[in-house]
Amino acid sequence: DVKVTQSSRYLVKRTGEKVFLECVQDMDHENMFWYRQDPGLGLRLIYFSYDVKMKEKGDIPEGYSVSREKKERFSLILESASTNQTSMYLCASSLAGLTYEQYFGPGTRLTVT
Amino acid sequence: GDSVTQMEGPVTLSEEAFLTINCTYTATGYPSLFWYVQYPGEGLQLLLKATKADDKGSNKGFEATYRKETTSFHLEKGSVQVSDSAVYFCALSDSGGGADGLTFGKGTHLIIQP
């Protein structure tokens, strides 16, 4: 089974802090994704990566950056956390190709106070 | 741009009832379509998929048929169980081979009462 793990299930940070969310997948997938999930808004794509050191902006990249130094690891960085970044963050991975399926981690619920 | 519209709920049904969750989409190309399910406290799991018109995806008693003429991918199950209580997301991929993320609907919260 594909396994996608996220470093924390729950995280509480203060406004202005730098926050790192880590995601690791164990199936040698080329693609990795970061989404945020908010009530009434569903899932929105923040960033994705199709290869090591490659990244592309998603629909809502403002206030976020990412890092992919190794194929299995994809980090989401909040340079200066704000209260409007309080959300559930979901990481996913998939194989490359026309038809693909994304495998999700359990999510990190981040609260910024 | 691409979009997915689904009924938001909550949808409350009794056990053994018939389930339909409507999903319609807008896409510029020829998307693949998916239903994902999120059980309480967990991440999303792929439930079923269809990659071309008239394909039927099925899994765990759930079915959905890719209807290009009505741009729909409605989820159905003949007899729901309490364990089916979850949030269901319709999604599409219109990446044409690229690595774009999925476009999701807002999710439908399904509650099954014993």
Side-chain angles (χ1 to χ4, degrees), chain B residues 3 22 27 31 36-37 39-40 43 46 57-58 61-63 72 82 88 93 95 97 101-103 107:
Chain B
S3 66
N22 291 335
Y36 279 81
V37 58
Y39 298 104
L46 179 65
S58 61
F62 291 89
E63 294 183 340
S72 64
V82 172
Y88 293 81
S93 164
S95 64
L102 291 161
T103 298

Side-chain angles (χ1 to χ4, degrees), chain A residues 9 31 33 35 37 40-43 45 48 50 90 97-102 104-106, chain B residues 34 36 38 41-44 46 49 51 89 93 95-102 104 106:
Chain A
R9 292 298 300 269
N31 302 330
F33 308 85
Y35 296 88
Q37 181 180 14
L41 296 176
L43 275 76
L45 181 65
F48 63 94
Y50 53 89
L90 295 172
L98 178 63
T99 302
Y100 61 86
E101 307 159 8
Q102 294 190 15
F104 283 79
Chain B
F34 304 84
Y36 279 81
Q38 185 178 32
E42 298 183 13
L44 277 71
L46 179 65
K49 66 178 181 181
T51 58
F89 293 89
S93 164
S95 64
D100 294 359
L102 291 161
F104 285 90
K106 293 183 179 181

